[in-house]
Amino acid sequence: MFHSIGMRLAGWYAIAATVTLACLFVVGYQLLYTRMMRGLDLLNHSEAQQIRAHLGPDFAQLGLEEIDQRIRETTEFASALFYINVHNPANDIMFYSHNLNGVAIPDVKGEHRFNAEIPGVGPVRVDEYVRDGIDIVVATPSTQVNAALSDYIEICVALLVAMLIVSTAVGYGLSRVALGPVRSIAETARRIGSDNLSERMPVADVRDEISDLARLLNEMFDRLEVSFNQIRRFTAEASHELKTPLSLVRLHAEKLLVEDKLLPSQEEALHILLEEIGHLDGIIDQLLFLSRVDAKVTRLDLATQDPEPFLRSFIPDASVLAEHRGLRFEFSHTGANEIRFDAKWIRQVLLNLLSNAIKASPARGLIRLESRVDDDGWRVAVEDHGRGLPPTELERIFERFVRVPGTGYDDGKGSGLGLSICRSILDLHGGRIRAENIVPDGGLRVIFEIPA
Ligand SMILES: Nc1ncnc2c1ncn2[C@@H]1O[C@H](COP(=O)(O)OP(=O)(O)O)[C@@H](O)[C@H]1O
Ligand SMILES: [Mg+2]
């Protein structure tokens, strides 16, 4: 839940607001408590003063009966409000108010104003008034004050809960607003790829941390776009720069051959030269293709079509190629469905697989091409009856420049790029390609699939 900054900010905000409010409430409670207790203390104190005044200056000479009478004269009318004890200097109780029913008001040593609990009466606030050797203890019930304070606490708790909820909601809303620019930066960043490098983050007019960040990212994208464009231009120009001199070399070699003034050994050397040039030309084409795929500048010319007519046009070429090497070729196709693919590139894949199968096949071997179209998509398998591959190499052969020696595969002119090109082409189609050994007959089966 707290994985998003927005939620965390909202949480912190809510906690800060609620704690502040709680502090205010605690201070308020203290104030209220002291105020109310002081009110009770004043009442008690004036009652005690009144009693003292009524006892008169001759108090020391009075008997218990008289003291009792004098105090009752002044206090009886307030018996609902005050509980009274009077002590003599020896701390003997000389007077109990009626409402105490003979129970003494508890004493707290060293305190003159304190809270206490009288059995049968409940919580009270007590005032001890000591003058001229007489000790008047007046207590008044604090139940009302306590009730008011607990009401206060209840209200505070309810308000705190409300505050927590409201501030969480407000905090969440605020953080969403504050993080809005970050979200739109993230969305743009997700959209920016090699195919739309010119897109930029939205930058707010105000100058703040987030707009600075967006500006920085935009500058970074400017630099990236420049270098990307350089790479694109390089791949386009490298093709021209490499291939033009190469075709000139080929042209001159061919001219020499035509002139027919060469020794047989020279002529043979020229043939080898021409063959190697053809080979080099092929490798340059393959490398350029791969670098274009890497730079994501290769665009497919996708068309939705049933693969059957496409295959039918490919098969004659394939069987000619195979038969030319003295190999047998079989073809089967089942099902019908519309598949989106680029015929030119899939033809390239098929040619690569076929030429590999030819190179792997023993003399008079059989090469089979099986194609099946159904609701899921299109699946093509090319099988040969060579020696197959060690299981560890089945995945590796799709990496660049990987060639597996000692498997009876005739890789005299192989570059090790054919299968990586096939994989790139299938990636561009959203498809897959893999290889497996044919058991138990031996041979390799390379399968590619394109989803419908
Ligand atoms: N049908 C096959 N049977 C056995 N090995 C194969 C087969 N196809 C490919 N390979 C192995 O995979 C390697 C890579 O193939 P590939 O990328 O087409 O490069 P190349 O054909 O130029 O060598 C080959 O060198 C070969 O060792
Ligand atoms: Mg190959």
Side-chain angles (χ1 to χ4, degrees), residues 134-159:
I134 189 169
D135 187 351
I136 304 169
V137 183
V138 180
T140 192
S142 56
T143 338
Q144 284 306 317
V145 170
N146 289 344
L149 286 175
S150 68
D151 281 356
Y152 175 85
I153 291 175
E154 262 169 41
I155 291 172
C156 285
V157 169
L159 284 176

mmCIF file of all heavy atoms in Angstrom, residues 134-159:
data_model
loop_
_atom_site.group_PDB
_atom_site.id
_atom_site.type_symbol
_atom_site.label_atom_id
_atom_site.label_comp_id
_atom_site.label_asym_id
_atom_site.label_seq_id
_atom_site.Cartn_x
_atom_site.Cartn_y
_atom_site.Cartn_z
ATOM 1 N N ILE A 134 -6.647 25.675 64.457
ATOM 2 C CA ILE A 134 -7.826 24.896 64.079
ATOM 3 C C ILE A 134 -7.734 24.529 62.602
ATOM 4 O O ILE A 134 -7.247 25.320 61.781
ATOM 5 C CB ILE A 134 -9.120 25.658 64.410
ATOM 6 C CG1 ILE A 134 -10.310 24.716 64.215
ATOM 7 C CG2 ILE A 134 -9.280 26.875 63.533
ATOM 8 C CD1 ILE A 134 -11.569 25.304 64.781
ATOM 9 N N ASP A 135 -8.151 23.337 62.291
ATOM 10 C CA ASP A 135 -7.922 22.780 60.953
ATOM 11 C C ASP A 135 -9.278 22.455 60.335
ATOM 12 O O ASP A 135 -9.947 21.514 60.767
ATOM 13 C CB ASP A 135 -7.060 21.521 61.133
ATOM 14 C CG ASP A 135 -6.620 20.944 59.816
ATOM 15 O OD1 ASP A 135 -7.117 21.423 58.785
ATOM 16 O OD2 ASP A 135 -5.787 20.006 59.821
ATOM 17 N N ILE A 136 -9.733 23.299 59.412
ATOM 18 C CA ILE A 136 -11.051 23.093 58.801
ATOM 19 C C ILE A 136 -10.864 22.422 57.434
ATOM 20 O O ILE A 136 -10.147 22.941 56.575
ATOM 21 C CB ILE A 136 -11.800 24.419 58.633
ATOM 22 C CG1 ILE A 136 -11.892 25.103 59.998
ATOM 23 C CG2 ILE A 136 -13.165 24.200 58.014
ATOM 24 C CD1 ILE A 136 -12.382 26.520 59.906
ATOM 25 N N VAL A 137 -11.474 21.255 57.257
ATOM 26 C CA VAL A 137 -11.344 20.520 55.988
ATOM 27 C C VAL A 137 -12.690 20.582 55.273
ATOM 28 O O VAL A 137 -13.692 20.107 55.798
ATOM 29 C CB VAL A 137 -10.945 19.059 56.230
ATOM 30 C CG1 VAL A 137 -10.744 18.346 54.898
ATOM 31 C CG2 VAL A 137 -9.690 18.979 57.080
ATOM 32 N N VAL A 138 -12.689 21.199 54.093
ATOM 33 C CA VAL A 138 -13.929 21.309 53.317
ATOM 34 C C VAL A 138 -13.746 20.526 52.013
ATOM 35 O O VAL A 138 -12.739 20.683 51.325
ATOM 36 C CB VAL A 138 -14.260 22.776 53.001
ATOM 37 C CG1 VAL A 138 -15.548 22.860 52.203
ATOM 38 C CG2 VAL A 138 -14.365 23.575 54.275
ATOM 39 N N ALA A 139 -14.726 19.671 51.692
ATOM 40 C CA ALA A 139 -14.645 18.917 50.430
ATOM 41 C C ALA A 139 -15.904 19.154 49.621
ATOM 42 O O ALA A 139 -16.987 19.322 50.176
ATOM 43 C CB ALA A 139 -14.492 17.433 50.729
ATOM 44 N N THR A 140 -15.761 19.188 48.315
ATOM 45 C CA THR A 140 -16.947 19.360 47.466
ATOM 46 C C THR A 140 -16.894 18.308 46.350
ATOM 47 O O THR A 140 -15.811 17.996 45.853
ATOM 48 C CB THR A 140 -17.020 20.803 46.935
ATOM 49 O OG1 THR A 140 -18.291 21.003 46.358
ATOM 50 C CG2 THR A 140 -15.962 21.076 45.900
ATOM 51 N N PRO A 141 -18.013 17.741 45.948
ATOM 52 C CA PRO A 141 -17.974 16.659 44.952
ATOM 53 C C PRO A 141 -17.393 17.138 43.624
ATOM 54 O O PRO A 141 -17.714 18.234 43.165
ATOM 55 C CB PRO A 141 -19.432 16.261 44.770
ATOM 56 C CG PRO A 141 -20.172 16.854 45.910
ATOM 57 C CD PRO A 141 -19.394 18.005 46.402
ATOM 58 N N SER A 142 -16.525 16.339 43.038
ATOM 59 C CA SER A 142 -15.955 16.734 41.735
ATOM 60 C C SER A 142 -16.542 15.902 40.590
ATOM 61 O O SER A 142 -16.006 15.911 39.482
ATOM 62 C CB SER A 142 -14.429 16.604 41.784
ATOM 63 O OG SER A 142 -14.081 15.293 42.158
ATOM 64 N N THR A 143 -17.645 15.191 40.875
ATOM 65 C CA THR A 143 -18.246 14.333 39.844
ATOM 66 C C THR A 143 -18.584 15.111 38.566
ATOM 67 O O THR A 143 -18.307 14.662 37.451
ATOM 68 C CB THR A 143 -19.543 13.694 40.381
ATOM 69 O OG1 THR A 143 -19.489 13.710 41.796
ATOM 70 C CG2 THR A 143 -19.718 12.291 39.863
ATOM 71 N N GLN A 144 -19.173 16.304 38.742
ATOM 72 C CA GLN A 144 -19.571 17.101 37.575
ATOM 73 C C GLN A 144 -18.365 17.471 36.724
ATOM 74 O O GLN A 144 -18.381 17.355 35.501
ATOM 75 C CB GLN A 144 -20.273 18.387 38.031
ATOM 76 C CG GLN A 144 -21.706 18.169 38.518
ATOM 77 C CD GLN A 144 -22.529 17.444 37.481
ATOM 78 O OE1 GLN A 144 -22.453 17.759 36.295
ATOM 79 N NE2 GLN A 144 -23.289 16.433 37.906
ATOM 80 N N VAL A 145 -17.317 17.920 37.461
ATOM 81 C CA VAL A 145 -16.105 18.324 36.744
ATOM 82 C C VAL A 145 -15.522 17.127 36.001
ATOM 83 O O VAL A 145 -15.169 17.217 34.817
ATOM 84 C CB VAL A 145 -15.078 18.892 37.746
ATOM 85 C CG1 VAL A 145 -13.736 19.095 37.071
ATOM 86 C CG2 VAL A 145 -15.595 20.189 38.318
ATOM 87 N N ASN A 146 -15.479 15.969 36.683
ATOM 88 C CA ASN A 146 -14.939 14.782 36.028
ATOM 89 C C ASN A 146 -15.760 14.415 34.792
ATOM 90 O O ASN A 146 -15.207 14.050 33.750
ATOM 91 C CB ASN A 146 -14.919 13.602 36.999
ATOM 92 C CG ASN A 146 -13.850 13.796 38.056
ATOM 93 O OD1 ASN A 146 -12.956 14.640 37.889
ATOM 94 N ND2 ASN A 146 -13.948 13.049 39.141
ATOM 95 N N ALA A 147 -17.107 14.531 34.956
ATOM 96 C CA ALA A 147 -17.962 14.198 33.816
ATOM 97 C C ALA A 147 -17.662 15.131 32.651
ATOM 98 O O ALA A 147 -17.532 14.691 31.493
ATOM 99 C CB ALA A 147 -19.423 14.290 34.208
ATOM 100 N N ALA A 148 -17.497 16.431 32.958
ATOM 101 C CA ALA A 148 -17.212 17.393 31.889
ATOM 102 C C ALA A 148 -15.895 17.042 31.211
ATOM 103 O O ALA A 148 -15.786 17.061 29.977
ATOM 104 C CB ALA A 148 -17.150 18.801 32.460
ATOM 105 N N LEU A 149 -14.882 16.673 32.032
ATOM 106 C CA LEU A 149 -13.580 16.358 31.446
ATOM 107 C C LEU A 149 -13.655 15.100 30.575
ATOM 108 O O LEU A 149 -13.042 15.044 29.504
ATOM 109 C CB LEU A 149 -12.535 16.168 32.550
ATOM 110 C CG LEU A 149 -12.089 17.477 33.203
ATOM 111 C CD1 LEU A 149 -11.141 17.193 34.358
ATOM 112 C CD2 LEU A 149 -11.412 18.394 32.191
ATOM 113 N N SER A 150 -14.446 14.088 31.040
ATOM 114 C CA SER A 150 -14.469 12.883 30.208
ATOM 115 C C SER A 150 -15.275 13.137 28.933
ATOM 116 O O SER A 150 -14.982 12.566 27.884
ATOM 117 C CB SER A 150 -14.945 11.659 30.986
ATOM 118 O OG SER A 150 -16.290 11.806 31.309
ATOM 119 N N ASP A 151 -16.299 14.023 29.011
ATOM 120 C CA ASP A 151 -16.975 14.437 27.770
ATOM 121 C C ASP A 151 -15.971 15.059 26.804
ATOM 122 O O ASP A 151 -15.956 14.762 25.602
ATOM 123 C CB ASP A 151 -18.057 15.483 28.071
ATOM 124 C CG ASP A 151 -19.311 14.817 28.617
ATOM 125 O OD1 ASP A 151 -19.326 13.559 28.666
ATOM 126 O OD2 ASP A 151 -20.242 15.545 29.006
ATOM 127 N N TYR A 152 -15.141 15.932 27.387
ATOM 128 C CA TYR A 152 -14.138 16.617 26.573
ATOM 129 C C TYR A 152 -13.243 15.586 25.874
ATOM 130 O O TYR A 152 -12.991 15.667 24.667
ATOM 131 C CB TYR A 152 -13.309 17.525 27.471
ATOM 132 C CG TYR A 152 -12.153 18.220 26.789
ATOM 133 C CD1 TYR A 152 -12.338 19.418 26.112
ATOM 134 C CD2 TYR A 152 -10.872 17.676 26.837
ATOM 135 C CE1 TYR A 152 -11.282 20.054 25.500
ATOM 136 C CE2 TYR A 152 -9.805 18.303 26.217
ATOM 137 C CZ TYR A 152 -10.013 19.490 25.549
ATOM 138 O OH TYR A 152 -8.966 20.115 24.939
ATOM 139 N N ILE A 153 -12.805 14.567 26.636
ATOM 140 C CA ILE A 153 -11.914 13.557 26.051
ATOM 141 C C ILE A 153 -12.629 12.800 24.925
ATOM 142 O O ILE A 153 -12.070 12.602 23.841
ATOM 143 C CB ILE A 153 -11.417 12.581 27.142
ATOM 144 C CG1 ILE A 153 -10.476 13.326 28.074
ATOM 145 C CG2 ILE A 153 -10.705 11.383 26.514
ATOM 146 C CD1 ILE A 153 -10.009 12.497 29.248
ATOM 147 N N GLU A 154 -13.904 12.451 25.174
ATOM 148 C CA GLU A 154 -14.649 11.724 24.138
ATOM 149 C C GLU A 154 -14.725 12.531 22.846
ATOM 150 O O GLU A 154 -14.472 12.012 21.756
ATOM 151 C CB GLU A 154 -16.071 11.438 24.616
ATOM 152 C CG GLU A 154 -16.240 10.034 25.161
ATOM 153 C CD GLU A 154 -17.575 9.864 25.869
ATOM 154 O OE1 GLU A 154 -18.584 10.404 25.341
ATOM 155 O OE2 GLU A 154 -17.599 9.209 26.929
ATOM 156 N N ILE A 155 -15.073 13.818 23.024
ATOM 157 C CA ILE A 155 -15.190 14.671 21.826
ATOM 158 C C ILE A 155 -13.849 14.755 21.104
ATOM 159 O O ILE A 155 -13.764 14.666 19.878
ATOM 160 C CB ILE A 155 -15.698 16.072 22.226
ATOM 161 C CG1 ILE A 155 -17.148 15.950 22.678
ATOM 162 C CG2 ILE A 155 -15.586 17.044 21.058
ATOM 163 C CD1 ILE A 155 -17.700 17.206 23.280
ATOM 164 N N CYS A 156 -12.773 14.900 21.902
ATOM 165 C CA CYS A 156 -11.443 15.016 21.296
ATOM 166 C C CYS A 156 -11.108 13.765 20.495
ATOM 167 O O CYS A 156 -10.607 13.846 19.372
ATOM 168 C CB CYS A 156 -10.383 15.212 22.366
ATOM 169 S SG CYS A 156 -10.422 16.861 23.024
ATOM 170 N N VAL A 157 -11.379 12.583 21.071
ATOM 171 C CA VAL A 157 -11.037 11.341 20.366
ATOM 172 C C VAL A 157 -11.824 11.264 19.054
ATOM 173 O O VAL A 157 -11.262 10.966 17.993
ATOM 174 C CB VAL A 157 -11.321 10.116 21.274
ATOM 175 C CG1 VAL A 157 -11.237 8.845 20.447
ATOM 176 C CG2 VAL A 157 -10.331 10.083 22.416
ATOM 177 N N ALA A 158 -13.123 11.607 19.135
ATOM 178 C CA ALA A 158 -13.929 11.568 17.912
ATOM 179 C C ALA A 158 -13.354 12.527 16.874
ATOM 180 O O ALA A 158 -13.215 12.187 15.692
ATOM 181 C CB ALA A 158 -15.370 11.934 18.230
ATOM 182 N N LEU A 159 -12.980 13.737 17.333
ATOM 183 C CA LEU A 159 -12.426 14.720 16.389
ATOM 184 C C LEU A 159 -11.109 14.226 15.792
ATOM 185 O O LEU A 159 -10.835 14.445 14.609
ATOM 186 C CB LEU A 159 -12.197 16.057 17.092
ATOM 187 C CG LEU A 159 -13.476 16.880 17.333
ATOM 188 C CD1 LEU A 159 -13.151 18.143 18.112
ATOM 189 C CD2 LEU A 159 -14.113 17.238 15.998
#
